[in-house]
Coordinates of all heavy atoms in Angstrom, one line a residue:
M1 N 0.8 -1.2 -0.1 CA 0.0 0.1 0.0 C 0.9 1.3 0.0 O 0.7 2.1 -0.8 CB -0.9 0.0 1.2 CG -1.8 1.1 1.2 SD -3.4 0.7 2.2 CE -3.0 1.5 3.7
F2 N 1.8 1.3 1.0 CA 2.7 2.5 0.9 C 4.1 2.0 0.6 O 4.4 0.9 0.9 CB 2.8 3.2 2.4 CG 1.5 3.8 2.8 CD1 0.6 3.2 3.7 CD2 1.1 5.0 2.3 CE1 -0.6 3.7 4.1 CE2 -0.1 5.5 2.6 CZ -1.0 4.9 3.5
K3 N 4.8 2.9 -0.1 CA 6.1 2.6 -0.5 C 7.1 3.5 0.2 O 7.0 4.7 0.1 CB 6.1 2.7 -2.1 CG 7.4 2.3 -2.6 CD 7.3 2.4 -4.2 CE 8.7 2.2 -4.8 NZ 8.6 2.4 -6.2
Q4 N 8.2 3.0 0.7 CA 9.3 3.8 1.2 C 10.1 4.4 0.2 O 10.4 3.8 -0.8 CB 10.2 2.8 2.0 CG 11.5 3.5 2.6 CD 11.1 4.4 3.8 OE1 10.2 4.0 4.6 NE2 11.7 5.5 4.0
V5 N 10.2 5.8 0.3 CA 10.9 6.6 -0.7 C 12.4 6.6 -0.4 O 12.7 6.8 0.9 CB 10.4 8.0 -0.7 CG1 11.2 9.0 -1.7 CG2 8.9 8.0 -1.2
D6 N 13.2 6.4 -1.3 CA 14.7 6.5 -1.0 C 15.1 8.0 -0.7 O 14.9 8.8 -1.7 CB 15.5 5.9 -2.1 CG 16.9 6.0 -1.8 OD1 17.4 6.2 -0.7 OD2 17.7 5.6 -2.7
T7 N 15.5 8.3 0.4 CA 15.7 9.6 0.8 C 17.2 10.0 0.7 O 17.6 11.2 0.9 CB 15.3 9.9 2.2 OG1 16.0 9.1 3.1 CG2 13.8 9.8 2.4
Q8 N 18.0 9.2 0.2 CA 19.5 9.4 0.1 C 19.8 10.7 -0.9 O 20.7 11.3 -0.5 CB 20.1 8.2 -0.5 CG 20.0 6.9 0.4 CD 21.2 6.8 1.2 OE1 22.3 7.1 0.7 NE2 21.1 6.2 2.4
D9 N 19.1 10.8 -1.9 CA 19.4 11.9 -2.9 C 18.5 13.1 -2.8 O 18.7 14.0 -3.6 CB 19.4 11.3 -4.3 CG 20.4 10.2 -4.5 OD1 21.4 10.3 -4.0 OD2 20.0 9.4 -5.4
L10 N 17.7 13.2 -1.8 CA 16.8 14.4 -1.7 C 17.6 15.5 -1.1 O 18.5 15.4 -0.3 CB 15.6 14.0 -0.7 CG 14.7 12.9 -1.3 CD1 13.7 12.6 -0.2 CD2 14.1 13.4 -2.5
E11 N 17.2 16.7 -1.5 CA 17.8 18.0 -1.1 C 17.4 18.2 0.4 O 16.3 17.8 0.9 CB 17.2 19.1 -1.8 CG 17.9 20.4 -1.6 CD 17.3 21.6 -2.5 OE1 16.7 21.3 -3.5 OE2 17.5 22.7 -1.9
T12 N 18.4 18.7 1.2 CA 18.2 19.0 2.6 C 18.4 20.5 2.9 O 19.0 21.2 2.1 CB 19.1 18.1 3.5 OG1 20.5 18.5 3.1 CG2 18.9 16.7 3.3
V13 N 17.9 20.8 4.1 CA 18.1 22.2 4.6 C 18.8 22.1 6.0 O 18.4 21.1 6.7 CB 16.9 23.1 4.6 CG1 16.4 23.4 3.2 CG2 15.8 22.4 5.4
E14 N 19.6 23.0 6.4 CA 20.2 23.1 7.7 C 19.2 23.8 8.6 O 18.9 25.0 8.2 CB 21.5 23.6 7.6 CG 22.5 22.6 7.0 CD 23.9 23.2 7.1 OE1 24.3 23.9 8.0 OE2 24.7 22.8 6.1
V15 N 18.8 23.3 9.7 CA 17.9 23.9 10.6 C 18.5 23.6 12.1 O 19.4 22.9 12.2 CB 16.5 23.5 10.5 CG1 15.9 23.8 9.2 CG2 16.4 21.9 10.8
V16 N 17.8 24.2 13.0 CA 18.2 24.0 14.4 C 17.0 23.4 15.1 O 15.8 24.1 15.1 CB 18.7 25.2 15.2 CG1 18.9 24.9 16.6 CG2 19.9 25.8 14.6
V17 N 17.0 22.2 15.6 CA 15.9 21.5 16.2 C 16.2 21.3 17.8 O 17.2 20.6 18.1 CB 15.5 20.3 15.7 CG1 14.4 19.6 16.4 CG2 15.2 20.4 14.1
D18 N 15.5 22.0 18.6 CA 15.7 21.8 20.1 C 17.2 22.1 20.4 O 17.8 21.4 21.2 CB 15.3 20.5 20.6 CG 13.9 20.2 20.3 OD1 13.1 21.1 20.3 OD2 13.5 18.9 20.1
G19 N 17.7 23.2 19.8 CA 19.1 23.6 20.0 C 20.2 22.8 19.3 O 21.4 23.2 19.5
E20 N 19.9 21.8 18.5 CA 20.8 21.0 17.9 C 20.8 21.3 16.3 O 19.7 21.2 15.8 CB 20.5 19.5 18.1 CG 20.5 19.1 19.5 CD 21.9 18.7 20.0 OE1 22.7 18.4 19.3 OE2 21.9 18.9 21.3
P21 N 21.9 21.5 15.7 CA 21.9 21.7 14.2 C 21.5 20.3 13.6 O 22.0 19.3 14.0 CB 23.4 22.0 14.0 CG 24.2 21.7 15.1 CD 23.2 21.6 16.3
R22 N 20.6 20.4 12.6 CA 20.2 19.2 11.9 C 20.1 19.5 10.4 O 19.8 20.6 10.0 CB 18.8 18.8 12.4 CG 18.8 18.6 13.9 CD 19.0 17.1 14.2 NE 18.1 16.2 13.8 CZ 17.0 15.9 14.5 NH1 16.8 16.4 15.6 NH2 16.2 15.0 14.0
K23 N 20.2 18.5 9.6 CA 19.9 18.6 8.2 C 18.6 17.7 8.0 O 18.6 16.5 8.2 CB 21.0 17.9 7.4 CG 22.2 18.8 7.3 CD 23.2 18.3 6.3 CE 24.4 19.3 6.2 NZ 25.4 18.8 5.3
L24 N 17.5 18.4 7.6 CA 16.3 17.8 7.2 C 15.8 17.9 5.8 O 16.3 18.8 5.2 CB 15.2 18.4 8.1 CG 15.4 18.2 9.6 CD1 14.2 18.9 10.4 CD2 15.5 16.8 10.1
Q25 N 15.0 17.0 5.3 CA 14.6 17.0 3.9 C 13.9 18.4 3.7 O 13.0 18.9 4.3 CB 13.6 15.9 3.7 CG 13.1 15.7 2.3 CD 12.2 14.5 2.2 OE1 12.3 13.7 2.9 NE2 11.4 14.6 1.1
A26 N 14.2 18.9 2.5 CA 13.7 20.1 2.0 C 12.4 19.9 1.2 O 12.1 18.8 0.8 CB 14.7 20.9 1.1
G27 N 11.6 20.9 1.1 CA 10.4 20.9 0.2 C 9.2 20.2 0.8 O 8.3 20.0 0.1
I28 N 9.2 20.0 2.1 CA 8.1 19.4 2.7 C 7.8 20.1 4.0 O 8.5 21.2 4.3 CB 8.3 17.9 3.0 CG1 9.5 17.6 3.8 CG2 8.4 17.1 1.7 CD1 9.8 16.2 4.3
S29 N 6.7 19.8 4.7 CA 6.4 20.5 6.0 C 7.5 20.2 7.0 O 8.2 19.1 7.0 CB 5.1 20.2 6.4 OG 5.0 18.8 7.0
V30 N 7.5 21.1 8.0 CA 8.4 20.9 9.1 C 8.1 19.5 9.8 O 8.9 18.7 10.1 CB 8.2 22.0 10.2 CG1 9.0 21.7 11.5 CG2 8.8 23.3 9.6
M31 N 6.8 19.2 10.0 CA 6.4 18.0 10.7 C 6.8 16.8 9.8 O 7.3 15.8 10.4 CB 4.9 18.0 11.0 CG 4.5 16.9 12.0 SD 5.1 17.2 13.6 CE 6.3 15.8 13.9
A32 N 6.6 16.9 8.5 CA 6.9 15.7 7.7 C 8.5 15.5 7.7 O 8.9 14.4 7.7 CB 6.4 16.0 6.2
A33 N 9.2 16.6 7.8 CA 10.6 16.4 7.7 C 11.2 15.8 9.0 O 12.1 15.0 9.0 CB 11.3 17.8 7.5
L34 N 10.5 16.3 10.1 CA 10.8 15.6 11.5 C 10.5 14.2 11.4 O 11.3 13.4 11.9 CB 10.2 16.4 12.6 CG 10.8 17.8 12.9 CD1 9.8 18.5 13.9 CD2 12.1 17.7 13.4
L35 N 9.3 13.8 11.0 CA 8.9 12.4 10.9 C 9.9 11.7 10.0 O 10.2 10.5 10.4 CB 7.5 12.3 10.4 CG 6.4 12.8 11.4 CD1 5.0 12.8 10.7 CD2 6.3 11.8 12.7
A36 N 10.2 12.2 8.9 CA 11.1 11.6 8.0 C 12.5 11.2 8.7 O 13.2 10.2 8.3 CB 11.3 12.2 6.7
D37 N 12.8 12.0 9.6 CA 14.1 12.0 10.3 C 14.0 11.1 11.6 O 14.8 11.1 12.4 CB 14.7 13.3 10.6 CG 16.2 13.3 10.8 OD1 16.8 12.6 10.1 OD2 16.7 13.9 11.7
G38 N 12.8 10.5 11.8 CA 12.6 9.6 12.9 C 12.0 10.3 14.2 O 12.0 9.6 15.2
E39 N 11.7 11.5 14.1 CA 11.1 12.2 15.3 C 9.7 12.1 15.3 O 8.9 12.5 14.4 CB 11.4 13.8 15.3 CG 12.9 14.1 15.2 CD 13.5 13.9 16.7 OE1 12.8 13.7 17.5 OE2 14.7 13.9 16.7
L40 N 9.2 11.5 16.4 CA 7.7 11.2 16.5 C 7.0 12.2 17.4 O 5.8 12.3 17.2 CB 7.5 9.7 17.0 CG 8.1 8.7 16.2 CD1 7.8 7.3 16.8 CD2 7.6 8.6 14.8
N41 N 7.7 12.9 18.2 CA 7.0 13.8 19.1 C 7.0 15.3 18.6 O 8.1 15.8 18.1 CB 7.8 13.8 20.4 CG 7.7 12.5 21.1 OD1 6.7 11.8 21.0 ND2 8.9 12.1 21.7
S42 N 5.9 16.0 18.8 CA 5.9 17.4 18.3 C 5.8 18.3 19.5 O 6.2 19.4 19.3 CB 4.6 17.5 17.4 OG 3.4 17.0 18.1
R43 N 5.3 17.9 20.6 CA 5.2 18.8 21.7 C 4.8 18.1 23.0 O 4.6 16.9 22.9 CB 4.1 19.9 21.4 CG 2.8 19.3 21.4 CD 1.6 20.2 21.0 NE 0.4 19.7 21.1 CZ -0.7 20.2 21.7 NH1 -0.6 21.4 22.5 NH2 -1.9 19.7 21.8
L44 N 4.6 18.7 24.0 CA 4.2 18.1 25.3 C 2.7 18.4 25.4 O 2.1 19.5 25.1 CB 4.9 18.8 26.5 CG 6.3 18.6 26.6 CD1 6.9 19.3 27.8 CD2 6.8 17.1 26.7
S45 N 2.0 17.4 25.8 CA 0.6 17.5 26.1 C 0.3 18.5 27.1 O 0.8 18.5 28.2 CB -0.1 16.2 26.4 OG -1.4 16.4 27.0
P46 N -0.6 19.5 26.9 CA -0.9 20.6 27.9 C -1.6 19.9 29.2 O -1.6 20.5 30.2 CB -1.7 21.5 27.2 CG -2.3 20.9 26.0 CD -1.3 19.8 25.7
T47 N -2.2 18.8 29.0 CA -2.9 18.2 30.1 C -2.1 17.1 30.9 O -2.0 17.2 32.1 CB -4.3 17.4 29.6 OG1 -3.9 16.6 28.6 CG2 -5.2 18.5 29.1
S48 N -1.4 16.2 30.2 CA -0.6 15.3 30.9 C 0.9 15.6 31.0 O 1.6 15.1 31.8 CB -0.7 13.9 30.1 OG 0.1 14.0 28.9
G49 N 1.4 16.6 30.2 CA 2.7 17.0 30.2 C 3.6 15.9 29.5 O 4.9 16.1 29.6
K50 N 3.1 14.9 28.9 CA 3.9 13.9 28.2 C 4.0 14.3 26.8 O 3.1 14.9 26.2 CB 3.3 12.5 28.4 CG 3.2 12.1 29.8 CD 2.6 10.7 29.9 CE 2.7 10.2 31.4 NZ 2.2 8.9 31.5
P51 N 5.1 13.9 26.1 CA 5.3 14.1 24.7 C 4.2 13.5 23.9 O 3.7 12.4 24.2 CB 6.6 13.4 24.4 CG 7.4 13.3 25.7 CD 6.2 13.1 26.7
C52 N 3.7 14.2 22.9 CA 2.7 13.7 21.9 C 3.1 14.0 20.5 O 4.0 14.8 20.3 CB 1.3 14.2 22.3 SG 1.2 15.9 22.3
G53 N 2.4 13.4 19.6 CA 2.8 13.5 18.3 C 1.6 14.0 17.4 O 0.6 14.2 17.9
P54 N 1.9 14.3 16.1 CA 0.9 14.8 15.3 C -0.2 13.8 15.0 O 0.0 12.6 15.0 CB 1.7 15.1 13.9 CG 2.8 14.2 14.0 CD 3.1 14.0 15.4
H55 N -1.4 14.2 14.7 CA -2.6 13.3 14.4 C -3.0 13.4 13.0 O -3.0 12.4 12.3 CB -3.7 13.6 15.3 CG -3.5 13.3 16.8 ND1 -4.4 12.5 17.5 CD2 -2.5 13.5 17.6 CE1 -3.9 12.3 18.7 NE2 -2.8 13.0 18.8
C56 N -3.3 14.5 12.5 CA -4.0 14.7 11.2 C -3.1 14.9 10.1 O -3.2 14.5 8.9 CB -5.1 15.7 11.3 SG -4.5 17.4 11.4
L57 N -2.0 15.7 10.3 CA -1.1 16.2 9.3 C -1.7 17.0 8.2 O -1.2 16.9 7.1 CB -0.3 15.0 8.8 CG 0.7 14.2 9.7 CD1 1.3 13.0 9.1 CD2 1.8 15.2 10.3
M58 N -2.8 17.7 8.6 CA -3.4 18.5 7.5 C -4.1 19.7 8.1 O -5.0 20.4 7.5 CB -4.5 17.7 6.7 CG -5.6 17.2 7.6 SD -6.7 16.2 6.5 CE -8.1 16.0 7.6
G59 N -3.6 20.2 9.3 CA -4.0 21.5 9.8 C -5.2 21.5 10.7 O -5.8 22.6 10.9
V60 N -5.7 20.4 11.1 CA -7.0 20.3 11.8 C -6.8 20.2 13.4 O -7.4 20.9 14.1 CB -7.9 19.2 11.3 CG1 -9.2 19.0 12.1 CG2 -8.3 19.4 9.8
C61 N -6.0 19.3 13.8 CA -6.0 18.9 15.2 C -5.0 19.7 16.1 O -5.2 19.7 17.3 CB -5.4 17.5 15.3 SG -3.7 17.1 15.0
F62 N -4.1 20.5 15.6 CA -3.2 21.4 16.3 C -2.2 20.5 17.2 O -1.7 21.1 18.1 CB -3.9 22.4 17.1 CG -4.5 23.5 16.2 CD1 -5.7 23.3 15.5 CD2 -3.9 24.8 16.2 CE1 -6.1 24.3 14.6 CE2 -4.3 25.8 15.4 CZ -5.5 25.6 14.6
E63 N -2.2 19.3 17.1 CA -1.2 18.5 17.9 C 0.3 18.6 17.4 O 1.1 18.2 18.1 CB -1.5 17.0 17.7 CG -2.9 16.6 18.5 CD -2.8 16.9 20.0 OE1 -1.7 16.8 20.6 OE2 -3.9 17.1 20.6
C64 N 0.5 19.4 16.3 CA 1.8 19.6 15.9 C 2.3 20.9 16.2 O 3.4 21.4 15.7 CB 1.9 19.4 14.4 SG 0.8 20.5 13.5
L65 N 1.6 21.7 17.1 CA 2.1 23.0 17.4 C 3.5 23.0 18.1 O 3.7 22.2 18.9 CB 1.2 23.7 18.5 CG -0.1 24.3 18.0 CD1 -0.9 24.9 19.1 CD2 0.2 25.4 16.9
M66 N 4.3 23.9 17.5 CA 5.7 24.0 18.1 C 6.1 25.3 17.8 O 5.7 26.0 16.9 CB 6.6 22.9 17.6 CG 6.8 22.8 16.1 SD 7.9 21.5 15.5 CE 6.8 20.1 15.9
E67 N 7.2 25.8 18.5 CA 7.8 27.1 18.3 C 8.7 27.0 17.0 O 9.7 26.3 17.1 CB 8.6 27.5 19.5 CG 9.0 29.0 19.4 CD 10.0 29.3 20.7 OE1 9.5 29.0 21.8 OE2 11.0 29.7 20.4
I68 N 8.3 27.8 16.1 CA 9.2 27.9 14.8 C 9.4 29.3 14.5 O 8.6 30.2 14.4 CB 8.3 27.3 13.6 CG1 7.9 25.8 13.8 CG2 9.1 27.4 12.4 CD1 6.9 25.2 12.8
D69 N 10.7 29.6 14.6 CA 11.3 30.9 14.5 C 10.6 31.9 15.5 O 10.1 33.0 15.2 CB 11.1 31.5 13.1 CG 12.1 30.8 12.0 OD1 13.1 30.2 12.6 OD2 11.8 30.8 10.9
G70 N 10.3 31.4 16.7 CA 9.8 32.2 17.7 C 8.3 32.3 17.8 O 7.8 33.0 18.7
I71 N 7.7 31.7 16.9 CA 6.2 31.8 16.8 C 5.5 30.4 17.0 O 6.0 29.4 16.3 CB 5.7 32.4 15.5 CG1 6.3 33.9 15.4 CG2 4.2 32.5 15.4 CD1 6.1 34.5 14.0
Q72 N 4.5 30.2 17.7 CA 3.8 28.9 17.9 C 3.1 28.7 16.5 O 2.2 29.5 16.2 CB 2.8 28.9 19.0 CG 3.4 28.9 20.4 CD 4.1 27.5 20.7 OE1 3.6 26.5 20.3 NE2 5.2 27.6 21.3
R73 N 3.4 27.6 15.9 CA 2.9 27.4 14.5 C 2.6 25.9 14.4 O 3.2 25.1 15.1 CB 3.8 27.8 13.5 CG 4.2 29.3 13.5 CD 5.3 29.7 12.6 NE 5.1 29.7 11.2 CZ 6.1 30.0 10.4 NH1 7.2 30.3 10.7 NH2 5.7 30.0 9.1
Q74 N 1.7 25.6 13.4 CA 1.4 24.2 13.1 C 2.5 23.6 12.2 O 2.7 24.2 11.1 CB 0.0 24.0 12.4 CG -1.2 24.3 13.3 CD -2.4 24.6 12.5 OE1 -2.6 25.6 11.9 NE2 -3.2 23.5 12.4
A75 N 3.3 22.7 12.6 CA 4.4 22.3 11.9 C 4.0 21.4 10.7 O 4.8 21.3 9.7 CB 5.3 21.3 12.8
C76 N 2.7 21.0 10.6 CA 2.3 20.2 9.4 C 1.9 21.1 8.2 O 1.7 20.6 7.2 CB 1.2 19.2 9.8 SG -0.4 20.1 10.1
T77 N 1.6 22.4 8.5 CA 1.2 23.2 7.5 C 2.2 24.4 7.2 O 2.1 25.3 6.5 CB -0.1 24.0 7.8 OG1 0.0 24.7 9.0 CG2 -1.2 22.9 7.8
T78 N 3.4 24.2 7.9 CA 4.6 25.2 7.7 C 5.6 24.5 6.9 O 6.2 23.5 7.3 CB 5.1 25.6 9.0 OG1 4.1 26.1 9.8 CG2 6.2 26.6 8.9
E79 N 6.0 25.0 5.7 CA 7.0 24.4 4.9 C 8.4 24.7 5.6 O 8.6 25.8 6.0 CB 7.0 24.9 3.5 CG 8.1 24.3 2.6 CD 7.9 24.6 1.1 OE1 6.9 25.1 0.7 OE2 8.8 24.4 0.4
I80 N 9.2 23.7 5.6 CA 10.5 23.9 6.1 C 11.4 24.8 5.3 O 11.2 24.8 4.1 CB 11.2 22.5 6.4 CG1 12.4 22.7 7.4 CG2 11.6 21.9 5.1 CD1 12.7 21.4 8.1
E81 N 12.1 25.6 6.0 CA 13.0 26.5 5.3 C 14.4 26.5 5.9 O 14.6 26.3 7.1 CB 12.5 28.0 5.4 CG 11.1 28.2 4.7 CD 10.6 29.6 4.9 OE1 11.2 30.4 5.5 OE2 9.4 29.8 4.5
K82 N 15.4 26.9 5.1 CA 16.8 26.9 5.6 C 16.9 27.8 6.8 O 16.3 28.9 6.8 CB 17.6 27.6 4.4 CG 19.1 27.7 4.6 CD 19.7 28.3 3.4 CE 21.1 28.6 3.6 NZ 21.7 29.3 2.6
E83 N 17.7 27.5 7.8 CA 18.0 28.1 9.0 C 16.8 28.4 9.9 O 16.9 29.3 10.7 CB 18.7 29.5 8.6 CG 20.0 29.2 7.9 CD 20.7 30.5 7.5 OE1 20.2 31.6 7.8 OE2 21.7 30.5 6.8
M84 N 15.7 27.6 9.8 CA 14.7 27.7 10.7 C 15.1 27.3 12.1 O 16.0 26.4 12.2 CB 13.5 26.8 10.4 CG 12.5 27.4 9.4 SD 11.1 26.3 9.2 CE 9.9 27.5 8.5
V85 N 14.6 27.9 13.2 CA 14.9 27.5 14.5 C 13.5 26.9 15.1 O 12.5 27.6 15.2 CB 15.3 28.7 15.4 CG1 15.6 28.2 16.8 CG2 16.6 29.3 14.8
I86 N 13.6 25.6 15.4 CA 12.4 24.8 15.8 C 12.6 24.4 17.2 O 13.6 23.8 17.5 CB 12.3 23.6 14.8 CG1 12.1 24.1 13.4 CG2 11.1 22.7 15.3 CD1 12.4 23.0 12.3
N87 N 11.7 24.7 18.1 CA 11.8 24.3 19.5 C 10.5 23.5 19.8 O 9.4 24.1 19.7 CB 12.0 25.5 20.4 CG 13.4 25.9 20.4 OD1 14.3 25.2 20.6 ND2 13.7 27.2 20.1
R88 N 10.6 22.3 20.3 CA 9.5 21.6 20.7 C 9.3 21.5 22.2 O 8.3 21.2 22.7 CB 9.6 20.2 20.3 CG 9.6 20.0 18.7 CD 9.9 18.7 18.3 NE 11.2 18.2 18.7 CZ 11.6 17.0 18.7 NH1 10.9 16.0 18.2 NH2 12.8 16.7 19.1
H89 N 10.3 22.1 22.9 CA 10.3 22.2 24.4 C 10.0 20.8 25.0 O 9.4 20.8 26.1 CB 9.3 23.3 24.8 CG 9.6 24.6 24.3 ND1 10.7 25.4 24.7 CD2 8.9 25.3 23.3 CE1 10.7 26.5 24.1 NE2 9.7 26.6 23.3
L90 N 10.5 19.9 24.5 CA 10.4 18.4 25.0 C 11.3 18.2 26.2 O 11.0 17.3 27.1 CB 10.6 17.4 24.0 CG 9.8 17.4 22.7 CD1 10.3 16.4 21.7 CD2 8.3 17.2 23.1
S91 N 12.4 18.9 26.4 CA 13.2 18.7 27.5 C 12.8 19.2 28.8 O 13.4 19.0 29.9 CB 14.6 19.3 27.1 OG 14.6 20.7 27.0
E92 N 11.7 20.0 28.8 CA 11.2 20.5 30.1 C 10.8 19.4 31.0 O 10.8 19.6 32.2 CB 10.0 21.4 29.8 CG 10.4 22.6 29.0 CD 9.2 23.5 28.5 OE1 8.1 23.1 28.8 OE2 9.5 24.4 27.7
T93 N 10.5 18.2 30.5 CA 10.3 17.0 31.4 C 11.4 16.1 31.5 O 11.4 15.1 32.2 CB 9.1 16.2 30.9 OG1 9.4 15.7 29.7 CG2 7.8 17.0 30.8
G94 N 12.5 16.5 30.8 CA 13.7 15.6 30.8 C 13.5 14.5 29.8 O 14.5 13.7 29.6
E95 N 12.4 14.4 29.0 CA 12.2 13.4 28.0 C 12.5 14.0 26.6 O 12.1 15.2 26.3 CB 10.8 12.9 28.0 CG 10.4 12.2 29.3 CD 9.0 11.7 29.3 OE1 8.6 11.0 28.3 OE2 8.3 12.0 30.3
N96 N 13.1 13.3 25.7 CA 13.4 13.8 24.4 C 13.5 12.5 23.5 O 14.1 11.5 23.9 CB 14.7 14.5 24.3 CG 14.8 15.3 23.1 OD1 14.4 14.8 22.0 ND2 15.4 16.5 23.2
S97 N 12.8 12.6 22.4 CA 12.8 11.5 21.5 C 14.2 11.2 20.9 O 14.4 10.1 20.5 CB 11.9 11.8 20.3 OG 12.3 12.9 19.6
H98 N 15.2 12.0 21.1 CA 16.5 11.7 20.6 C 17.3 10.9 21.6 O 18.3 10.3 21.4 CB 17.3 13.0 20.5 CG 17.5 13.4 19.0 ND1 17.6 12.5 18.0 CD2 17.5 14.6 18.4 CE1 17.8 13.1 16.8 NE2 17.6 14.4 17.1
E99 N 16.8 10.9 22.9 CA 17.6 10.1 23.9 C 17.2 8.7 24.1 O 16.1 8.4 23.7 CB 17.3 10.9 25.3 CG 17.9 12.3 25.2 CD 17.5 13.1 26.5 OE1 16.8 12.5 27.4 OE2 18.0 14.2 26.6
Ligands
LIG101 S1 -0.9 17.4 12.8 FE1 -3.0 18.1 13.0 S2 -2.8 20.2 12.8 FE2 -0.8 19.5 12.4

């Protein structure tokens, strides 16, 4: 049904994610680029305080809200751009999907 795309030759952009420099796939949304790089968490749940991930990926659920260049934005409807600064604030609980 779904086919894995070979990402080896795709163009990338350099961004900063949670304070770390990263190269993510260009030409797609911030959330899609993070997911393609293995990041499943988008923010902390305001009720439980636990990391949560995107649900709809089309601008409806707001589960992908994160700070992008200093503004809270939906990562699934924001195209990734060179030198973006993306903060998910996941480390506030000491949990991070990179660890
Ligand atoms: S994942 Fe639902 S609004 Fe972004």
Side-chain angles (χ1 to χ4, degrees):
M1 184 153 100
F2 294 103
K3 183 177 172 186
Q4 177 73 35
V5 175
D6 183 5
T7 57
Q8 297 261 330
D9 297 327
L10 295 176
E11 185 179 338
T12 60
V13 291
E14 292 185 23
V15 298
V16 176
V17 179
D18 300 332
E20 304 275 336
R22 303 271 292 272
K23 285 186 179 179
L24 298 180
Q25 185 178 335
I28 57 177
S29 73
V30 171
M31 195 68 245
L34 288 169
L35 288 169
D37 202 44
E39 296 286 349
L40 302 179
N41 298 323
S42 54
R43 66 182 186 130
L44 296 179
S45 165
T47 52
S48 71
K50 294 183 176 179
C52 56
H55 290 227
C56 70
L57 296 172
M58 59 183 195
V60 176
C61 73
F62 286 74
E63 291 295 333
C64 63
L65 276 183
M66 58 183 71
E67 184 185 312
I68 301 172
D69 289 339
I71 300 169
Q72 289 291 321
R73 298 162 79 177
Q74 291 166 283
C76 73
T77 58
T78 303
E79 186 170 344
I80 196 158
E81 294 175 6
K82 181 180 172 186
E83 300 177 2
M84 271 184 161
V85 178
I86 301 158
N87 283 307
R88 298 174 297 168
H89 301 288
L90 298 176
S91 62
E92 292 167 9
T93 62
E95 297 180 53
N96 193 323
S97 60
H98 257 326
E99 297 174 355

